[in-house]
Amino acid sequence: MKDFDMTKLKVILTAALIFAAAGTAIAGFTDVKPSRPGELGIEALLDGIYGGDFSGSGGDIDAHITYTGSGDSAGITATRIQDFLDRDGTPDPINLLTGTATDVDQFWTDGIANATARAVYAGYTQQFGYRQNGGDYTKWFDVTSTSTFDFLNVQSPGSHTFSPTWEWARWGNNPDEPWFSGPNTDGLDHMITYLITGAYGAETTTWLLFFSDLYDPTGDYEPDFNDLVVEIQATVIPAPGAVLLGSVGIVVVGWLKRRKTL
């Protein structure tokens, strides 16, 4: 009986190793701790930003995989994006326009974006920016509500075209260096992401980025990922041909109007 059990165990272990070697990458999610007293967690932030009442399911109790809205937010869903790959390998960039929950939120590609800071729960200065193609940090705009623990509506100064790949970034005075959606100097993940559907119509792809400024593995509240919350709305980059046709169309319409007037 012992020989049979050992043989059976070896078969199971061998099959498991083969499956692990041949399978695709497994989803990985960064742990989220409860928010500090007086601050809001992921679910309450969704309630405040989109209205109504969200309820979560799956994953971490403090950052569920899926949140579904009801009441004023009926039809709105927030789905968490993977933070890393459980197995070795560099994740492919997530498409700003067509990305899904099976992607990883470290690197991004393709599109024009507008950004709005929606909440701050940190007593530090805040900037929101990006790093394109592995270069230096670039500030997009300041979030001027320092030491304010509240919902915001601080919009970026117009849209920005990103090409070809980039990382999102948050910079404050704690410490004096940016934290990126990709690799950081402390080796930790400082941003989690949700894909928002149903909030603004099918033509707009919306992402909600949650940043954490500090890490305290021995404490009760860090990382809570509520220090800066930024909403990203993506639009399509017009193809060169479409731009040319649009310009020609404007000229023709103007000419026809002038001719009719004459």
Side-chain angles (χ1 to χ4, degrees), residues 11 26 61 95 106 117 129 144 155 159 164 202 206 210 228-229 232 244:
V11 170
I26 298 174
I61 190 171
N95 191 289
Q106 294 181 20
T144 56
Q155 297 181 347
S159 60
T206 305
F210 295 82
L228 176 63
V229 182
I232 303 294
L244 178 61

Side-chain angles (χ1 to χ4, degrees), residues 9 12-13 24 41 52-53 64 98 102 111 132 134 156 178 186 216 241 256:
L9 180 60
I12 293 173
L13 290 174
T24 57
D53 183 28
H64 291 289
T98 61
T102 59
Q132 290 197 159
S156 61
D186 62 358
D216 182 9
L256 289 173

